[in-house]
Amino acid sequence: MADEKMEMGEVGSSLMSSETKTPPARPPNKFERLYQPCLGELVGTTFFVFIGCVSVIENVESAGRLQPALVHGLAVAVMVACMAEISGSHFNPPFTLAIYLCGGMEMNMVLPYLASQLIGGVLGAAMAKVMTSGENYTKANGAAFALLQSNDEIGGAVFGEVAMTCLVTMVVLLGAVNAKTRSPLVPFMVGCTVIINILAGGDVSGTCLNPARAFGPAIVNNYWTYHWVYWVGPITGGLVAAALVRLLIGDREIRLILK
C-alpha cells in the first residue's frame, strides 16, 4: 500500500513538473533578426517625428517651449518602452553610431538602421503636413529648425547641439548598454533628458539632437537654412559620448583603457 502511494505520488509530481515546464526559447528567425528591427526603427522614428512636428506646428504661444518639450520627451519615453525589445529603440542616428561604437550592436545593422531612421523622419514630417492647418504649417516652416538666421548665432547653436546630444547619448549608453549601470528606467530617463534639454536650450539652437528629426521637415518643407548644424552638432555629440563611455566611464567590458 505504501509502495502504491509512493508510485502515485511520483506520477503526480511528474505530471505537475511537466505542466509547469516552460518550452525552450526559440531562436529568432531571419525576419526577427534583420527586418523587424529596421521596421521598428522606421515606425518608431516616423511617429516620434510626426508627434514632434505637430507639437511645434500647432504650438500654443502661451505654452512657450513647454509644449514641444513635453511632447518630444514623452513621445521618446513611450516609443522607447514599446520598441525596446524589437529594435533597441534608437530612432536617432547619433544613438545608433554610439551604441555600435560601444559594442551594443552588429556592424551589418548600422546602415539599415540609419536609412530606416531617415526615411521615418521624412514620413513623420509628411504626416504632420497632412494633419495640420496650412497657415500654422507655413508659419512654423513645417517644424523645420528655422531658429538660426545669422552667422553670429552658429557657434552657440553648434556647441549646444554637441553638448546636449552628448548628455542624452550618455544616458542611453549608461542606461541601456553599460552592464554596470543598466536600468529598466531608461525610457523615463531618456524622455526626461529630452525635456530638460529642450527647456534649457530651445531658444539657442531649437534643440534638435537628432538628424532624422531635422531631415524630415527639411525635405518636406524644402527648408535648408543652416541645416548642416543639425547634423554636425548631434553626430559630434554622440561621438563624444561614445568616447567618454568607451574610454573612461564604461565598465570593464566596454572600457578600452585603465582596466
Side-chain angles (χ1 to χ4, degrees), residues 138-247:
T138 302
K139 189 188 301 182
N141 287 297
F145 289 88
L147 187 68
L148 298 179
Q149 296 297 325
S150 72
N151 291 339
D152 295 337
E153 302 169 334
I154 290 180
V158 171
F159 180 79
E161 290 293 312
V162 171
M164 291 185 290
T165 307
C166 179
L167 172 60
V168 71
T169 307
M170 276 203 302
V171 172
V172 170
L173 294 175
L174 294 176
V177 179
N178 191 58
K180 188 176 181 180
T181 55
R182 197 174 294 156
S183 170
L185 295 177
V186 69
F188 170 78
M189 292 156 54
V190 174
C192 284
T193 308
V194 170
I195 293 172
I196 292 167
N197 279 338
I198 294 175
L199 290 176
D203 284 347
V204 177
S205 68
T207 316
C208 173
L209 319 180
N210 185 340
R213 168 65 180 83
F215 182 69
I219 283 280
V220 174
N221 197 48
N222 195 28
Y223 185 91
W224 301 98
T225 304
Y226 296 115
H227 178 73
W228 62 269
V229 169
Y230 303 105
W231 285 80
V232 172
I235 290 175
T236 303
L239 295 178
V240 171
L244 287 173
V245 172
R246 198 71 160 144
L247 299 176

Side-chain angles (χ1 to χ4, degrees), residues 37-150:
C38 294
L39 288 172
E41 287 297 301
L42 176 65
V43 172
T45 309
T46 295
F47 281 99
F48 166 67
V49 174
F50 164 63
I51 293 297
C53 287
V54 170
S55 73
V56 173
I57 295 167
E58 300 293 341
N59 187 21
V60 179
E61 291 185 5
S62 60
R65 293 197 303 273
L66 184 61
Q67 179 176 323
L70 289 174
V71 170
H72 281 84
L74 293 174
V76 165
V78 170
M79 295 311 300
V80 168
C82 289
M83 296 287 188
E85 298 303 321
I86 296 174
S87 70
S89 302
H90 299 189
F91 314 140
N92 189 341
F95 290 178
T96 297
L97 295 174
I99 289 169
Y100 165 69
L101 291 173
C102 289
M105 68 182 299
E106 297 177 2
M107 184 178 183
N108 68 316
M109 295 302 291
V110 173
L111 287 179
Y113 265 45
L114 297 180
S116 299
Q117 292 156 4
L118 294 177
I119 294 170
V122 175
L123 293 176
M127 289 169 60
K129 184 174 184 178
V130 171
M131 176 178 169
T132 55
S133 69
E135 180 184 354
N136 289 347
Y137 183 88
T138 302
K139 189 188 301 182
N141 287 297
F145 289 88
L147 187 68
L148 298 179
Q149 296 297 325
S150 72

